[in-house]
Amino acid sequence: MRNAPTDLGSLIPRNRAIHPVPYDPDYKTSVPRSPRWPLLSLDSSVTEETGPTFGHNMLGPYDNNLIANFSQGERLAIGERIRVHGRVLDETARPVANTLIEVWQANAGGRYRHVRDSYFAPLDPNFGGCGRTMTDEDGYYEFMTIRPGAYPWPNRANDWRPMHIHFSVFGSGFGHRLITQMYFQGDPLIDLCPIAATVKTRSQLDRLVAPLDMARSKPMDYLAYKFDIVLRGRRQTMFENKMEGM
Amino acid sequence: MQGLEMLQETPSQTAGPYVHIGCIPTFAGVNGVYPQDLGLSPIEDGAKGEIITITGQVIDGTGWALRDAMMESWQADAAGIYPGQPGADPAVTGFCRFAADNESGEYTLRTVKPGITQARSGAPQAPHIAVWIVARGINIGLNTRIYFEDEDNSADPLLKRIEQRPRVQTLIAKRTAPGQYSFNFVLQGENETVFLDI
Ligand SMILES: [Fe+3]
């Protein structure tokens, strides 16, 4: 037994020119980990057009609050309190509703709660470093966290990561999967970072830099940053379905 | 000239060495935030079909197995129906997250063997599992597929598109015992896996 062809619409091919180059000698780990052969390009199939879906009922009350979620609200993390919000759209400007966003980041001192992170900035006993939220019907999302610290990393002699939050977004099909990073307006380390610099077009890199959003900050409580995300779009389906019968 | 009113996809960035904190925090030792990690298993008890285990490594251009790779898989049920489609096996979620072992670099995926699915053209797609690999040094996630050597792969539309025929083997899991397969993802170099732009 086979399933019927999907009616979800095929995926618009990825524009790889806006993405980081896979091979970049200034980001040394990319040298042995980047494929040398060209990718095999194909039209999407049901495999890429379908994908896992998650419900809002999966989320716990503290999931979208990295300040409080490691202690489940008992104690708060140290750092500059911020609210991050934005909208997830697809390339055809349609909102991506009810999609899962996962985030992870270093603590205010630039240290991750991870066995591989040996930086001597201390762990915050009340900060785990992960959180998740879902977009609403109009594609909006938000979460609370503390501003992560910059941190040094072994690459060239003195490389530092700018302040950043890692984002993982699902979208409506497995072919939509995207992991990226959000940077902060005005951080001078962005221009020095070889990972940021894997995105070769400055205007594309700028799309990863979240502006300070005073209108959405709360006096005496938190600052806000806005980070909009665009996922791949789908072609119109109606036309294709007609074509298939011919 | 008028504008097209199209947006552009947000550029990718590497998942970095700490992707586990965000995606599989319990595996990373960050306990207590979520009840359990997302995508622990692509199947629940009672999934119909043959239960199989795939093991292997993610190997870089020097021949070294990555210790920090994270993978996601997506697949149809034993009848070839994707979760969410009419008639899908309710015990198959189809989605799994799994990581290379911190010490050995070995991964294990336990799932149900997927059935034949249908490409948009109507052609049958041989049983396969879609995989997405992220890690430090991978600037945009790598898409590929796992096929099975004990299935008829001759008419699969994707495999047929591979011009250099010896490279087809890089997408085919070897059967090592009943229900057991081995499959390495080779990021670069000899026997480099065919990665996809779909
Ligand atoms: Fe980081």
Side-chain angles (χ1 to χ4, degrees), chain A residues 112 151 164 166:
Chain A
Y112 283 92
Y151 58 85
H164 63 279
H166 298 265

Side-chain angles (χ1 to χ4, degrees), chain A residues 64 83-86 132-134 140-144 222:
Chain A
N64 65 352
R83 173 188 177 194
V84 178
H85 72 93
R132 59 188 179 185
T133 186
M134 290 183 82
Y140 286 101
Y141 75 90
E142 65 176 325
F143 61 92
M144 289 291 300
Y222 55 77

Side-chain angles (χ1 to χ4, degrees), chain B residues 46-132:
Chain B
K48 297 187 199 77
E50 182 191 2
I51 303 298
I52 59 169
T53 301
I54 306 169
T55 56
Q57 295 178 320
V58 183
I59 296 167
D60 74 10
T62 74
W64 176 251
L66 275 62
R67 267 64 175 172
D68 59 314
M70 189 194 80
M71 275 74 74
E72 291 182 357
S73 62
W74 174 244
Q75 64 168 90
D77 65 17
I81 304 174
Y82 277 90
Q85 295 193 314
D89 183 343
V92 175
T93 65
F95 175 69
C96 191
R97 276 178 168 163
F98 50 101
D101 182 80
N102 198 29
E103 302 293 329
S104 66
E106 184 138 313
Y107 79 84
T108 301
L109 170 62
R110 183 179 175 275
T111 187
V112 69
K113 199 179 200 188
I116 296 168
T117 56
Q118 202 167 315
R120 187 165 289 279
S121 64
Q125 300 192 104
H128 66 276
I129 298 174
V131 179
W132 186 65

Side-chain angles (χ1 to χ4, degrees), chain A residues 20 161 179-181 183 195-196 198-199 208, chain B residues 11-15 138-139:
Chain A
R161 293 305 326 280
I179 280 182
T180 188
Q181 301 182 28
Y183 301 106
I195 288 178
T198 59
V199 178
L208 301 182
Chain B
S12 168
Q13 289 273 266
T14 179
I138 296 176
N139 292 332

Side-chain angles (χ1 to χ4, degrees), chain B:
Chain B
M1 187 171 72
Q2 296 186 358
L4 279 173
E5 296 190 9
M6 283 289 289
L7 304 177
Q8 285 185 305
E9 190 183 12
T10 297
S12 168
Q13 289 273 266
T14 179
Y18 309 123
V19 58
H20 317 90
I21 294 176
C23 294
I24 41 176
T26 307
F27 175 88
V30 180
N31 296 298
V33 179
Y34 311 136
Q36 64 174 34
D37 287 344
L38 193 70
L40 273 181
S41 173
I43 51 172
E44 294 162 7
D45 288 345
K48 297 187 199 77
E50 182 191 2
I51 303 298
I52 59 169
T53 301
I54 306 169
T55 56
Q57 295 178 320
V58 183
I59 296 167
D60 74 10
T62 74
W64 176 251
L66 275 62
R67 267 64 175 172
D68 59 314
M70 189 194 80
M71 275 74 74
E72 291 182 357
S73 62
W74 174 244
Q75 64 168 90
D77 65 17
I81 304 174
Y82 277 90
Q85 295 193 314
D89 183 343
V92 175
T93 65
F95 175 69
C96 191
R97 276 178 168 163
F98 50 101
D101 182 80
N102 198 29
E103 302 293 329
S104 66
E106 184 138 313
Y107 79 84
T108 301
L109 170 62
R110 183 179 175 275
T111 187
V112 69
K113 199 179 200 188
I116 296 168
T117 56
Q118 202 167 315
R120 187 165 289 279
S121 64
Q125 300 192 104
H128 66 276
I129 298 174
V131 179
W132 186 65
I133 307 171
V134 293
R136 176 172 60 99
I138 296 176
N139 292 332
I140 179 166
L142 294 169
N143 289 96
T144 189
R145 289 183 179 184
I146 301 174
Y147 290 83
F148 301 92
E149 73 169 349
D150 51 353
E151 296 286 340
D152 179 5
N153 297 309
S154 58
D156 182 81
L158 184 147
L159 296 177
K160 283 207 299 199
R161 276 283 292 273
I162 300 173
E163 182 186 345
Q164 297 84 8
R165 298 313 293 165
R167 297 199 73 209
V168 172
Q169 291 306 314
T170 70
L171 298 187
I172 298 181
K174 302 280 178 293
R175 188 168 179 271
T176 54
Q180 306 271 349
Y181 296 86
S182 90
F183 188 93
N184 287 337
F185 302 93
V186 181
L187 301 182
Q188 186 189 99
E190 209 179 333
N191 301 317
E192 180 178 305
T193 301
V194 174
F195 293 105
L196 309 173
D197 177 31
I198 296 188

